[in-house]
Amino acid sequence: MAKNKKSGDYIEQILPTSNEEEMKKMMRELDREQSFREHKCWRQYITVFISIVFVLFQLYATLSGLITAQVLRATHLAFVQLLAFLLFPPSKHSPRNTLPWYDVALALTGAGSWMYIVINFDTLVRRSGNNTVLDVIVGIIGILILFESCRRIVGLPIMIIASTFIIFAFAGKYLPGFLHHRGYSLQRVVCHLFYNTEGIMGTPIGACSTFIFLFILFGALLEKTGIGHFFIDVCNAIAGGASGGPAKVAVLSSALLGTVSGSSVSNTVGSGSFTIPMMKKLGYKGEFAGAVEAAASTGGQLMPPIMGAAAFLMAESLGLPYITIVKAAIIPAVLYFTGIFITVHLEAKKLGLKGLPKDKLPSFLPLLLTKGYMILPLAVIILFLCSGKTAVFAALMGIAACVLVGFGVSIVDLAHGRRPSFGGKDIIEVMCAAARNIISVAIACGMAGIIIGIVTLTGLGLRLGNGLVSLAYGKLFLTLIFTMLASIILGMGAPTTANYLITSTITAVAIISLGIEPLAAHMFAFYFGIIADVTPPVALAAIAGAAIAKAKPMKTAVNATKLAIGAFIIPYMFVYNSKMLMINASLASVFAIILTAILGMFGISVALEGYGFNNTGFFYNSDKPKILVNVFDVFERLLFAVAGLLCVIPETRTDLVGIIMLAVLIAYQLATKKIRLKKAAA
């Protein structure tokens, strides 16, 4: 609960006392990563001990640089498999207060299969390409246990895709057309996937075992400082008193929380438990309130610097500096949230909603002076990244800043006779949280390694890319449409990291083959994979928002899709104009792109909401038949939509036409505002 007195008291007044338990239950139902066992007694001590050793090993490996890449990756996977079966039950309906013998057996066997590589590393290197029967058996066991941990924690989509790719490797000689190949033996496939750095231990796990782990540890430390509540308080101070204040707070806080959150669902539940009840109390419908939080929280995965860990994987996959990915993601993310913010504002104006009472809101300056230290670790990371330091160095400095801030606050607490707010117990809890949070990421990276391994073994990536381009007759726009649909389908229900790895491996190659900048192609696939979290029928983030708002899930999902319309438009913009991603862009060109894009988002938002500076509908007259009034309404909305789309098309001529159209439409709305209000009230 927020510690700031004013905002905290207000939140206490609107939230039920059972809220925290309800949120936990909801998270377990919707987010596999949160459906873990909470051990007691000796089982708890064992898992805590393993988690601490895991974190200390990772820190030692990073700081010393003495462990070779393959040994580090195999050891990382051994810890992950050990904790996966100790912490996660076979299904969400399984009891969480027991630890069956078969899970212990799976944990030890899974960890042992990867330790086999560590123990026999020199021998395996010497007989590379000439593996024994035992090597193959260990590899099969390791791959099968990885699949089971994926089923439990990450979900079926990536598991089914990886299984299909493995079958393809065996059955290639029986397949027709561009899918045909000579086929591979069991030994070749298993050893390529299990022992080769082009398989499970490939680039994704390499990133996961180094800087992704460090950033997850940083995120756990940052969460322990209470930065989530601080962000909500800051956003309340900035926008809480504006028209439709709580909805704007939801948008802003989700954008900020997205810098440290790794899940659309957890972001929705975390900030939505505060913002959704406030939105409903103010007058927003439940379906709209849940949709606002879902759309904004999903956008958190698109917000740099972390982007649900996808930024690191993108940097590794493309061989680009991490800061290049962050710079490329800034403008699209800002435009996405601007679109949601505009729509929320127009909805508030249409419904005549006011903001929260000023006397119930925190004051911005006092809040910044008393709790501004919380953003210091985040500022440290951004500063080092912008100065050209590596992601590993920046993460280590951020972790050090978190610890220093935590202990500094505890010293102040002791000096004032208060109980320290950060201590040894908190450090242990952070280590356990980091070890637990890395499990799903590592398993997703391992499964993606299987997909990438089969692609490199068979050349399937190029085949799929050529097949998709052929289906689109070589036309870029049609290829983008097909890629969009494929990415949305592939991204349904998948965590952020798995989402990016699947969509970039399978679909981005088609766009790249048409001469598009690889970074733009990867971002395109990533955007549409992420937006699957609010797109029906799966729409996990929207379902979470609907559950908190006690609203209809599908109606909430439809509203969320409408609010997230920017995510369906912006990717096309940066594919056709890579300057939006800061690629070979001057300051003037970037400014022009942002300005016209914001105007375009305004026009599209007015079209969707049916409200600009007043209700849409040319020649509105309450005496006319309803059907005729609706025709005028649709016509004006259509003009706003066309003007908005012309502004977002990255061409000077279309921008000028769109701006002129918007200017005329806005002038007409302002000129007829009083007349429309009088006729509407008559």
Side-chain angles (χ1 to χ4, degrees):
M1 200 59 64
K3 292 180 182 178
N4 181 280
K5 189 176 187 303
K6 284 185 178 181
S7 63
D9 290 347
Y10 187 76
I11 291 170
E12 289 282 4
Q13 292 170 15
I14 63 171
L15 293 179
T17 55
S18 62
N19 188 62
E20 189 174 345
E21 283 303 315
E22 289 179 5
M23 295 304 111
K24 281 185 179 180
K25 184 179 178 182
M26 189 187 309
M27 288 283 285
R28 285 173 177 162
E29 288 291 322
L30 296 172
D31 193 346
R32 289 174 179 269
E33 298 172 35
Q34 301 302 318
S35 185
F36 55 86
R37 294 183 176 112
E38 295 182 358
H39 291 300
K40 304 294 182 185
C41 303
W42 62 270
R43 293 191 299 270
Q44 181 183 21
Y45 295 130
I46 290 173
T47 54
V48 168
F49 176 75
I50 294 170
S51 299
I52 292 171
V53 173
F54 185 17
V55 173
L56 292 177
F57 165 77
Q58 289 288 155
L59 290 173
Y60 168 76
T62 303
L63 293 170
S64 69
L66 297 176
I67 301 176
T68 59
Q70 279 177 277
V71 171
L72 171 59
R73 295 173 190 186
T75 309
H76 181 81
L77 282 164
F79 274 113
V80 165
Q81 292 288 258
L82 187 61
L83 287 171
F85 292 100
L86 294 179
L87 289 175
F88 290 87
S91 73
K92 62 183 180 181
H93 303 297
S94 302
R96 287 179 176 77
N97 55 357
T98 61
L99 183 59
W101 66 267
Y102 53 81
D103 274 355
V104 176
L106 284 170
L108 294 174
T109 307
S113 64
W114 292 105
M115 288 307 295
Y116 178 81
I117 295 177
V118 176
I119 295 167
N120 300 287
F121 180 66
D122 291 334
T123 305
L124 288 166
V125 169
R126 282 196 298 270
R127 66 167 181 251
S128 178
N130 189 27
N131 296 92
T132 65
V133 174
L134 180 60
D135 294 343
V136 176
I137 292 171
V138 171
I140 291 172
I141 292 170
I143 291 170
L144 289 175
I145 291 178
L146 179 64
F147 267 84
E148 169 57 17
S149 60
C150 177
R151 183 195 66 80
R152 293 186 182 200
I153 303 163
V154 181
L156 290 175
I158 191 170
M159 179 181 164
I160 293 169
I161 293 167
S163 302
T164 305
F165 272 62
I166 290 176
I167 293 169
F168 170 78
F170 292 127
K173 58 186 176 182
Y174 304 111
L175 298 174
F178 71 90
L179 293 175
H180 179 80
H181 63 86
R182 62 188 178 88
Y184 296 88
S185 67
L186 177 66
Q187 179 180 343
R188 179 75 186 279
V189 171
V190 170
C191 293
H192 182 80
L193 294 180
F194 195 75
Y195 297 102
N196 200 315
T197 52
E198 291 182 358
I200 296 171
M201 289 196 296
T203 299
I205 279 292
C208 184
S209 61
T210 51
F211 43 79
I212 291 180
F213 184 90
L214 294 177
F215 272 91
I216 284 180
L217 178 59
F218 169 74
L221 274 165
L222 207 59
E223 188 178 346
K224 181 59 74 172
T225 66
I227 195 169
H229 294 301
F230 172 70
F231 281 158
I232 291 173
D233 282 347
V234 167
C235 295
N236 264 313
I238 294 171
S243 299
K248 292 175 179 175
V249 169
V251 176
L252 294 175
S253 62
S254 293
L256 292 173
L257 285 168
T259 61
V260 293
S261 169
S263 165
S264 302
V265 175
S266 62
N267 200 354
T268 301
V269 174
S271 55
S273 59
F274 300 106
T275 58
I276 291 173
M278 286 196 287
M279 282 188 264
K280 288 185 69 179
K281 186 179 179 72
L282 192 68
Y284 284 107
K285 292 180 180 178
E287 288 82 5
F288 188 83
V292 168
E293 186 56 58
S297 293
T298 298
Q301 306 309 292
L302 308 171
M303 176 62 73
I306 296 179
M307 298 165 63
F312 313 117
L313 293 170
M314 204 176 292
E316 284 291 294
S317 299
L318 294 170
L320 294 172
Y322 170 75
I323 193 64
T324 302
I325 307 298
V326 171
K327 284 166 57 181
I330 289 173
I331 295 176
V334 169
L335 291 177
Y336 174 83
F337 280 102
T338 301
I340 299 176
F341 197 89
I342 290 170
T343 305
V344 161
H345 176 75
L346 295 177
E347 178 78 4
K349 287 293 186 182
K350 183 168 71 174
L351 299 176
L353 303 179
K354 305 296 181 184
L356 298 172
K358 295 284 186 182
D359 61 335
K360 298 290 185 181
L361 295 173
S363 300
F364 179 73
L365 194 57
L367 181 64
L368 206 59
L369 291 173
T370 57
K371 293 189 177 182
Y373 63 84
M374 288 187 178
I375 62 172
L376 181 62
L378 202 56
V380 166
I381 277 193
I382 294 170
L383 178 66
F384 279 116
L385 287 174
C386 292
S387 65
K389 300 294 183 182
T390 65
V392 169
F393 183 83
L396 287 171
M397 292 300 100
I399 289 167
C402 274
V403 174
L404 288 173
V405 166
F407 283 123
V409 173
S410 294
I411 291 170
V412 173
D413 289 338
L414 287 170
H416 288 82
R418 297 190 297 263
R419 181 183 175 184
S421 54
F422 189 82
K425 184 181 177 183
D426 296 294
I427 293 288
I428 292 173
E429 288 178 358
V430 164
M431 286 182 168
C432 292
R436 186 175 63 242
N437 292 343
I438 196 67
I439 293 172
S440 64
V441 179
I443 290 171
C445 288
M447 297 301 287
I450 291 175
I451 296 170
I452 295 168
I454 298 298
V455 167
T456 58
L457 184 65
T458 63
L460 179 60
L462 187 59
R463 296 166 190 264
L464 286 175
N466 290 338
L468 199 58
V469 171
S470 298
L471 189 64
Y473 300 103
K475 303 295 182 183
L476 177 59
F477 185 72
L478 274 179
T479 302
L480 292 177
I481 294 288
F482 292 149
T483 303
M484 174 187 74
L485 295 174
S487 297
I488 290 174
I489 293 168
L490 292 169
M492 287 181 175
T496 303
T497 44
N499 202 317
Y500 166 68
L501 291 167
I502 295 170
T503 54
S504 63
T505 302
I506 297 175
T507 62
V509 66
I511 306 173
I512 295 171
S513 68
L514 291 174
I516 299 301
E517 191 75 35
L519 177 54
H522 277 244
M523 287 284 285
F524 184 92
F526 176 58
Y527 256 68
F528 285 110
I530 290 298
I531 211 63
D533 279 346
V534 295
T535 307
V538 179
L540 290 181
I543 291 171
I548 299 171
K550 294 180 173 55
K552 294 178 180 178
M554 282 304 104
K555 195 170 181 180
T556 304
V558 170
N559 273 298
T561 303
K562 184 177 75 171
L563 283 160
I565 190 67
F568 291 89
I569 297 170
I570 293 166
Y572 287 90
M573 294 173 64
F574 59 63
V575 164
Y576 280 101
N577 189 349
S578 60
K579 289 181 180 179
M580 183 179 281
L581 300 179
M582 305 275 195
I583 299 173
N584 301 321
S586 64
L587 190 63
S589 63
V590 169
F591 178 77
I593 288 168
I594 293 173
L595 180 62
T596 54
I598 289 174
L599 289 172
M601 294 308 299
F602 172 77
I604 293 165
S605 296
V606 172
L608 291 171
E609 277 297 306
Y611 187 93
F613 292 91
N614 52 25
N615 287 312
T616 57
F618 279 120
F619 314 113
Y620 184 88
N621 190 327
S622 56
D623 295 331
K624 290 181 179 179
K626 187 175 182 180
I627 189 169
L628 189 58
V629 173
N630 286 340
V631 168
F632 291 142
D633 176 66
V634 169
F635 184 54
E636 189 171 356
R637 285 190 183 200
L638 185 62
L639 287 176
F640 267 108
V642 170
L645 288 171
L646 287 171
C647 285
V648 300
I649 293 172
E651 290 184 14
T652 305
R653 287 175 297 179
T654 57
D655 286 344
L656 288 173
V657 174
I659 290 169
I660 292 169
M661 283 184 67
L662 276 178
V664 171
L665 289 166
I666 290 169
Y668 179 82
Q669 283 217 331
L670 290 172
T672 59
K673 185 173 183 178
K674 290 183 179 179
I675 299 171
R676 294 194 196 198
L677 289 173
K678 286 180 182 178
K679 289 186 176 181

